[in-house]
Amino acid sequence: MKLKPLGDKIVVKAAPNEEKTKGGLVLPDTVKEKPVEGIVVAVGPGKVLENGTRQPMEICVDDKIIYSKYSGTEVKLDDETFLVIGERDVLAVIEK
C-alpha cells in the first residue's frame, strides 16, 4: 500500500455501487448513492492524547466497516479510488 495514514486516519476501499435495481433497471450515475461500506486497507498508528500516550486503533486492516455517508476524502491512486476517513467516522464493524 502506497498510502500510509497518519494519526487516527483509515484508508478504505469502498464497496462497489449497485448498477441495477432488484427489478433489473440500470441506474445512472446521478441517482446512485455514495457507498457506506468498505474494506480497511491501511490504518494509522492512533491518536496522540494530551498526556503524550498514543490511543490504539480499534479498527484493523481487512475489517469490513460501515462509515458515515459524506465523510472523508477521496484519493485516486493507480486507477483505484480510496477514501481516507477518521476513526470517529466509522459507525460499525461488520462481523464475519
Side-chain angles (χ1 to χ4, degrees):
M1 169 99 298
K2 293 180 183 179
L3 288 175
K4 181 182 174 188
L6 302 175
D8 65 341
K9 302 296 185 223
I10 300 166
V11 179
V12 177
K13 176 74 174 148
N17 287 342
E18 291 292 321
E19 299 290 326
K20 294 182 180 181
T21 64
K22 291 180 182 178
L25 297 174
V26 177
L27 296 172
D29 288 337
T30 55
V31 297
K32 289 182 191 173
E33 290 192 23
K34 287 185 73 170
V36 293
E37 278 185 24
I39 303 292
V40 177
V41 294
V43 177
K47 181 180 179 180
V48 176
L49 303 174
E50 289 182 20
N51 64 5
T53 61
R54 192 171 293 275
Q55 180 179 354
M57 298 287 279
E58 293 183 53
I59 308 297
C60 301
V61 174
D62 293 329
D63 278 351
K64 187 172 183 179
I65 62 169
I66 297 173
Y67 51 89
S68 298
K69 189 179 241 180
Y70 297 106
S71 63
T73 302
E74 282 190 8
V75 177
K76 196 163 189 157
L77 184 68
D78 297 332
D79 296 328
E80 286 189 277
T81 303
F82 298 96
L83 188 66
V84 179
I85 63 174
E87 185 180 31
R88 65 187 163 93
D89 293 324
V90 177
L91 304 175
V93 175
I94 300 172
E95 298 283 327
K96 295 178 184 176

